[in-house]
Amino acid sequence: MKIAILGTGNMGAGLARRLAGKRGLILASRNDDAAKSIASELGAKSASISAAIAEAEIVVLALPYASALELAGSAALDGKIVIDITNPLKPDFSGLLFANDTSAAEEIQHRAKGAKVVKAFNTIFASLFAAPVEQTMGIPVFLAGDDDAVEVSAALVQDAGFAIEKTGSLDAARLLEPLGMLNIRLGFALGRGTGIAPQWASIAG
Ligand SMILES: NC(=O)c1ccc[n+]([C@@H]2O[C@H](COP(=O)([O-])OP(=O)(O)OC[C@H]3O[C@@H](n4cnc5c(N)ncnc54)[C@H](OP(=O)(O)O)[C@@H]3O)[C@@H](O)[C@H]2O)c1
């Protein structure tokens, strides 16, 4: 399955580096030169946003939430698995745009009705993509969405060098986005840095 990564900033480029050579990647950005340059470095393809979407079965929205939402309402995403990695922050970064009655992932799904939206990677700081895979393979990427789309996304997570933590249907994004916000708070406001990630523990038995 081909993967279109839309957005070549910290997250898009980082994920592309982890998947390069393992998956058929098509990189796209509003800045064609940025996509071309990263694609040629990685031996991947680049294309316009619409051409990348048309060619791929999986579309990763590595964009700010507002841009991802806008694109979800206008792009031809029917039948695609759409991976939403966004943390829908308020403009002043003081918190999330939503209370607990919806989520970025559900809003994107609402706009892109024919797509299968999966929430993933929102608790993974971009700097983790640059770490050796041995350091991240035990770190979970939390996934929410319908079962089939989550299975496909879980394989991508594994290829990207992370562990899989399924959280159920897409409404679990209402819980994952605050978890992303907590990670940001710990990382930035409380000084833990961007090498951290949440992980569930359990005692034996
Ligand atoms: N950074 C993290 O550690 C982290 C962790 C978890 C989740 N996230 C989420 O991941 C998403 C991307 O974050 P990031 O750190 O990669 O951001 P970033 O470095 O600012 O990159 C954003 C990318 O989106 C592109 N873009 C912005 N508006 C666009 C539009 N209207 N149409 C097309 N492309 C557009 C930018 O293009 P230009 O280069 O032309 O501006 C850039 O390629 C965000 O939603 C963020 O909340 C980030």
Side-chain angles (χ1 to χ4, degrees):
M1 281 186 176
K2 288 192 190 149
I3 302 168
I5 299 181
L6 310 185
T8 48
N10 298 309
M11 292 296 281
L15 181 61
R17 288 202 169 86
R18 279 291 183 97
L19 292 173
K22 297 180 185 152
R23 293 297 193 102
L25 292 183
I26 312 155
L27 307 189
S29 173
R30 62 181 172 181
N31 176 351
D32 284 343
D33 288 343
K36 261 187 208 150
S37 148
I38 296 169
S40 82
E41 178 200 324
L42 299 178
K45 268 181 82 165
S46 68
S48 67
I49 288 179
S50 57
I53 292 171
E55 196 176 335
E57 287 85 21
I58 304 172
V59 177
V60 181
L61 303 178
L63 305 168
Y65 169 65
S67 309
L69 187 67
E70 195 184 318
L71 191 135
S74 60
L77 292 168
D78 281 8
K80 313 279 180 189
I81 293 173
V82 171
I83 301 185
D84 162 39
I85 69 166
T86 67
N87 282 311
L89 302 178
K90 289 181 178 167
D92 65 0
F93 305 112
S94 62
L96 294 171
L97 290 173
F98 306 115
N100 200 34
D101 54 354
T102 186
S103 61
E106 289 166 286
E107 294 302 310
I108 287 169
Q109 179 69 82
H110 187 64
R111 294 273 181 103
K113 288 204 176 359
K116 294 177 180 175
V117 177
V118 173
K119 189 85 200 179
F121 288 108
N122 73 300
T123 62
I124 301 297
F125 278 126
S127 59
L128 271 65
F129 292 121
V133 170
E134 305 75 61
Q135 287 183 17
T136 64
M137 58 200 296
I139 291 180
V141 166
F142 296 93
L143 292 157
D146 93 53
D147 289 347
D148 292 348
V150 162
E151 282 310 320
V152 171
S153 305
L156 182 154
V157 163
Q158 213 155 28
D159 283 353
F162 291 88
I164 296 157
E165 187 80 82
K166 296 177 193 167
T167 65
S169 54
L170 195 61
D171 62 336
R174 296 178 193 187
L175 307 171
L176 296 181
E177 290 169 12
L179 188 60
M181 189 70 228
L182 176 60
N183 199 38
I184 291 167
R185 186 183 180 95
L186 288 169
F188 289 104
L190 300 177
R192 299 272 296 274
T194 58
I196 58 170
Q199 184 168 22
W200 243 248
S202 69
I203 56 166

